[in-house]
Amino acid sequence: MIELLVATANKGKMKEIGQILAGYVDRLYCLADFPDLPEVVEDGLTFEENACKKALSAARATGIPSVADDSGLVVEALGGHPGIRSARYSGIGASDADNNRKLLREMADLPAAQRAAYFYCAVALCFPDGTCRTFCGTLQGVMLDAPRGAGGFGYDPLFFVPEHGKTLAELDSGVKNDISHRGKALEELRKYLSGQECA
Ligand code: ITT
């Protein structure tokens, strides 16, 4: 029997992780099941470090193997920003709309040829004994100069996927999960879980 706690406070991520792991895990807990867990300071220097901090803290506090996702948007022409600061690009507590507005401002002068970007996702699986494994995935795209679509979350309305001719916010959620950075990282996790039961 595989039981996992998904240690994310981001509802958009939680929904996608639940969809992607459905059928592979017997029971998926979320942070709402454990309202008193300690806050985690995301001060790591890499996506992997932050993912491990979040998953390890949850696994140690609950005794349940825990999964955390640390992800973000990397815009090459902005020197890799917003990167690991994607959630708080325009300040602590920033909304997705605030972050998208700041990104549009920062990219305003960039010509089409310099609007390449990718999403990166590090997923950590940590156990109460302190053991951790990480899995990663990326998705390449191009940043638009105006939002398109109402699906997804975060930077999805600005992230155009040339192969599909749509932004992530215009794609069906099942298609996004099949091609996304998160989908790819969780596919690696699924392969790992199918070879090893963890609860
Ligand atoms: P948790 O730490 O609680 O999981 P968070 O939103 O703070 O939630 P991160 O620190 O990993 O998580 O920041 C991820 C940010 O990157 C997220 O808030 C979005 O702005 C962006 N992001 C990640 N994946 C995305 C996706 O699939 N689509 C759009 N934006 C995404």
Side-chain angles (χ1 to χ4, degrees):
M1 161 120 167
I2 297 180
E3 289 193 332
L4 289 180
L5 164 59
V6 181
T8 179
N10 182 314
K11 292 195 174 84
K13 277 189 195 176
M14 186 65 214
K15 187 171 167 200
E16 291 180 6
I17 294 169
Q19 287 168 343
I20 295 166
L21 292 183
Y24 292 87
V25 173
D26 300 291
R27 175 128 196 214
L28 212 54
Y29 296 95
C30 63
L31 286 184
D33 296 316
F34 300 94
D36 298 324
L37 291 188
E39 282 267 319
V40 178
V41 182
E42 295 187 41
D43 57 1
L45 297 180
T46 62
F47 292 106
E48 276 75 9
E49 235 183 289
N50 281 333
C52 287
K53 283 193 87 168
K54 293 186 272 192
L56 195 52
S57 169
R60 285 199 162 128
T62 62
I64 299 172
S66 299
V67 165
D69 158 322
D70 202 70
S71 46
L73 177 71
V74 179
V75 182
E76 286 148 37
L78 296 181
H81 292 288
I84 58 170
R85 295 184 50 83
S86 289
R88 49 191 192 282
Y89 188 40
S90 68
I92 292 167
S95 67
D96 288 345
D98 295 334
N99 289 334
N100 280 328
R101 267 194 296 274
K102 174 167 180 185
L103 189 64
L104 285 174
R105 277 199 309 275
E106 298 290 326
M107 298 193 70
D109 297 328
L110 286 181
Q114 286 181 39
R115 299 184 79 91
Y118 64 92
F119 273 116
Y120 187 91
C121 176
V123 165
L125 169 65
C126 296
F127 296 85
D129 70 0
T131 317
C132 283
R133 285 192 68 100
T134 59
F135 310 88
C136 70
T138 60
L139 174 65
Q140 298 283 343
V142 175
M143 301 315 294
L144 298 184
D145 57 10
R148 276 174 43 180
F153 68 97
Y155 300 98
D156 281 350
L158 296 176
F159 190 90
F160 183 77
V161 187
E163 293 77 8
H164 290 265
K166 289 182 177 177
T167 67
L168 283 179
E170 292 174 313
L171 282 176
D172 175 77
S173 63
V175 176
K176 178 182 173 186
N177 291 338
D178 281 345
I179 64 168
S180 78
H181 47 308
R182 182 163 298 104
K184 289 172 191 159
L186 289 170
E187 172 64 19
E188 294 304 309
L189 169 72
R190 281 192 325 216
K191 282 188 204 152
Y192 177 75
L193 290 177
S194 64
Q196 178 182 331
E197 294 216 336
C198 58

